[in-house]
Amino acid sequence: MADRVRVRGVTIHRPIIYGNTATVLTPAERETSLYQDHTHRWTVAVRSAPSAPDSDIVGGADDLGYFIKRVTFKLHDTYPNPTRNIDKPPFEVSETGWGEFEIQIRITYVAESGEKATTLYHHLKLHPWSITFPLPNASAVPPEPEIPSPENAAKLGPVNSWQYDEIVFADPFQNFLTLLTTHPPTPLSKTSVNKKPIPFHSSNPASLEASLKGGVPEFTSAMEKDEADRLEEAKGKIVKEQEKWRSILIEREKELERLQKLLASKE
């Protein structure tokens, strides 16, 4: 029973990525497809964050099956059997389609964990990244770009849309902690050995140019640090803005009190 005692004060995490890769179907593939209107082949997945050496797959260096029991992908209702349960690695689903939509991803952990399932959401990305959000110092939001033709999209290569996250286990059961510590994650590379592009995300507009050059993106510890620095900078701005409005509120309350006293003296 000692194994079912929680180890208080201990926190342990596992880095993961979730997202999708999409490629344009060739004319021959479209002709033989059961769905003539489908334009892309895509794969949505949950993987370990580090990439294997010389791999053309984003992430996936580690097998997550030792602590993940099942990953459930909830696709659009127009797909046959839209709820797909994957009970062993690789935790991914491949399909074809023509439209983008939100996918619910539910991660269920092994029984030893005693943890509740984690639910994530990913917007399936089929078309090449474009600037559709305000850049720093921009005077206006850029117009929504036109979707490129299949021919032009194919020339740009696969579309990658991945999000880094960390699954955190606080006060884990002793047997689950032992399980995790006996399977240490592969460390993220400090920098990309093969000069792979960093994964693009709209929270980091500077990464767009690199992602458009093609190639399989790779998550690195440098990227992780940059993201943490951006978060700290954003937090600092929020705190300053809160202090600004707090000062304004205090001044308004003082003015209101002064006016109330002035009104009372005239009654």
Side-chain angles (χ1 to χ4, degrees):
M1 294 299 292
D3 285 346
R4 299 307 293 169
V5 175
R6 289 194 177 273
V7 185
R8 302 295 178 184
V10 172
T11 298
I12 189 168
H13 75 277
R14 287 294 177 265
I16 66 165
I17 60 171
Y18 60 95
N20 80 275
T21 297
T23 57
V24 178
L25 293 173
T26 65
E29 288 174 323
R30 293 190 67 175
E31 286 180 6
T32 58
S33 173
L34 294 176
Y35 307 97
Q36 296 294 311
D37 58 340
H38 285 194
T39 57
H40 291 73
R41 184 182 307 281
W42 52 263
T43 297
V44 60
V46 173
R47 298 172 181 161
S48 63
S51 297
D54 302 320
S55 172
D56 60 354
I57 296 176
V58 184
D62 299 330
D63 184 338
L64 302 181
Y66 68 93
F67 76 95
I68 293 179
K69 178 183 179 181
R70 166 182 290 179
V71 177
T72 302
F73 298 93
K74 179 64 172 67
L75 310 183
H76 195 275
D77 289 338
T78 53
Y79 281 89
N81 183 27
T83 300
R84 310 287 178 87
N85 293 316
I86 310 299
D87 293 327
K88 61 180 181 179
F91 296 111
E92 61 185 44
V93 168
S94 294
E95 269 289 357
T96 62
W98 60 266
E100 299 181 347
F101 55 90
E102 186 175 70
I103 298 175
Q104 183 190 84
I105 303 171
R106 182 178 174 86
I107 302 175
T108 303
Y109 305 106
V110 295
E112 295 93 324
S113 72
E115 299 285 341
K116 295 180 179 179
T118 297
T119 301
L120 306 169
Y121 295 89
H122 172 69
H123 186 82
L124 180 68
K125 183 71 177 171
L126 300 183
H127 307 293
W129 287 106
S130 298
I131 300 176
T132 57
F133 48 86
L135 292 175
N137 304 318
S139 58
V141 177
E144 187 73 20
E146 293 183 3
I147 295 175
S149 66
E151 293 76 16
N152 290 335
K155 293 176 183 177
L156 294 172
V159 170
N160 283 286
S161 175
W162 298 92
Q163 181 67 43
Y164 175 91
D165 205 345
E166 293 179 352
I167 299 177
V168 179
F169 301 105
D171 302 335
F173 284 114
Q174 180 61 64
N175 59 339
F176 186 52
L177 178 61
T178 301
L179 178 64
L180 293 173
T181 53
T182 54
H183 294 82
T186 299
L188 288 170
S189 301
K190 291 185 178 179
T191 57
S192 179
V193 177
N194 298 318
K195 304 298 182 183
K196 294 180 179 180
I198 60 177
F200 169 69
H201 194 267
S202 58
S203 64
N204 179 17
S207 65
L208 175 61
E209 183 178 355
S211 70
L212 291 177
K213 294 179 180 178
V216 179
E218 180 179 10
F219 287 81
T220 64
S221 58
M223 178 222 69
E224 184 182 15
K225 181 180 181 301
D226 289 343
E227 183 69 12
D229 291 343
R230 283 193 296 275
L231 288 173
E232 286 301 316
E233 182 182 356
K235 288 178 183 177
K237 290 180 179 178
I238 291 173
V239 169
K240 287 183 180 179
E241 193 70 12
Q242 287 176 329
E243 289 299 319
K244 168 190 169 183
W245 287 105
R246 180 173 177 273
S247 297
I248 291 175
L249 179 61
I250 290 174
E251 289 300 318
R252 297 289 170 82
E253 287 177 341
K254 287 181 179 179
E255 178 66 11
L256 177 61
E257 183 180 2
R258 184 187 70 80
L259 292 173
Q260 287 174 334
K261 289 180 179 179
L262 179 62
L263 181 62
S265 65
K266 293 183 177 181
E267 290 180 350

